[in-house]
Amino acid sequence: MNTTYKQQLYNSFLDCKSLKINDFNMLNYNNASLSKIILNYNACLGGDTFRFENINKNLSFNFKVKGGVNSTTVNSLVHAYISNRNANFGSVVGYRIALEGEVVLPFNNNKWSIFLEFAKVQEASKETENPSGKVKYTYDSFEIPLSIRHYMYLNENSKISLHLGHAIDVLTNLDLEYETINGSLSSSSPSGSWFFGGGFHYKKISAEARLNVKPVFERNSASYSSNYTNLSFTLGYTIL
């Protein structure tokens, strides 16, 4: 890589004693790094400083593919009228795959964005015991999260993020199978949950963690309620 510009700048800025050789060795050939040392030079000489920037007022878009795992906890599943249908399942582990479309907003140095996901979520079936016998739980859904994300830049290639949003959970399969009841109890109604999370982004690769919380397990029936939480970990790749 050609680094002669560092020597040229060092020679040109020798009249500023507060700028050291290491300040020039650490330079990167980009607008932010070069602007910073020029502003420091002007400040060193006590001159007036004017900074002109081209501000992009257009929206930008990113598209990602993501995949990872879910750890879902379903505890205190309670039937309002029949106590022998109550159960605790603990954690159920499954997979998550998603497509994400992100709109980066053109202000505050592109630190804010809005994203929408289309995700396939599957938790493996799990069986437990209650006073009346065995109970099996199976949950399989299609999820549509909408969220706002805030970026904090570490350098030109790396950044961390925080996000907060709401997910519509369109159930494709939710079954409770009781050993003492013929058949199973199924649900196919949509439900929603709030979630928050954070991530690390390096160039086109991202790693994120997210926690969903909702108090109701089966929305199409007033008979059931449950403490439900979902923790997911995903890796993503920006394709556009």
Side-chain angles (χ1 to χ4, degrees), residues 62-216:
N62 297 316
F63 294 94
K64 298 178 184 178
V65 291
K66 303 165 76 172
V69 295
N70 282 322
S71 177
T72 300
T73 301
V74 180
N75 283 323
S76 302
L77 178 67
V78 176
H79 193 282
Y81 312 109
I82 308 173
S83 61
N84 67 2
R85 294 188 183 178
N86 300 348
N88 288 301
F89 292 96
S91 296
V92 184
V93 177
Y95 67 80
R96 175 188 181 87
I97 55 175
L99 292 175
E100 178 192 297
E102 180 184 39
V103 180
V104 181
L105 304 177
F107 58 82
N108 196 214
N109 296 318
N110 298 326
K111 291 182 178 180
W112 292 92
S113 72
I114 297 172
F115 70 84
L116 180 71
E117 277 185 8
F118 297 90
K120 179 68 173 62
V121 182
Q122 186 267 343
E123 281 91 30
S125 298
K126 188 170 184 179
E127 195 171 79
T128 189
E129 293 273 353
N130 76 354
S132 65
K134 293 181 180 180
V135 187
K136 186 179 180 181
Y137 152 81
T138 305
Y139 182 81
D140 186 12
S141 73
F142 183 77
E143 185 180 85
I144 307 176
L146 176 64
S147 177
I148 187 166
R149 178 183 281 140
H150 177 62
Y151 288 110
M152 291 162 280
Y153 291 88
L154 303 176
N155 53 52
E156 60 183 325
N157 293 321
S158 304
K159 53 194 174 184
I160 57 178
S161 67
L162 298 174
H163 59 265
L164 174 68
H166 189 266
I168 300 299
D169 197 21
V170 182
L171 299 179
T172 56
N173 182 34
L174 192 161
D175 289 321
L176 292 170
E177 297 181 41
Y178 292 86
E179 186 178 39
T180 56
I181 301 174
N182 292 329
S184 63
L185 303 176
S186 300
S187 169
S188 60
S189 64
S191 62
S193 62
W194 290 97
F195 64 86
F196 61 92
F200 175 76
H201 311 259
Y202 179 74
K203 295 184 178 179
K204 292 187 174 185
I205 299 172
S206 63
E208 290 186 311
R210 179 182 303 170
L211 179 66
N212 290 53
V213 179
K214 61 182 176 181
V216 179

Side-chain angles (χ1 to χ4, degrees), residues 211-223:
L211 179 66
N212 290 53
V213 179
K214 61 182 176 181
V216 179
F217 174 70
E218 193 175 8
R219 286 297 179 95
N220 73 333
S221 172
S223 300

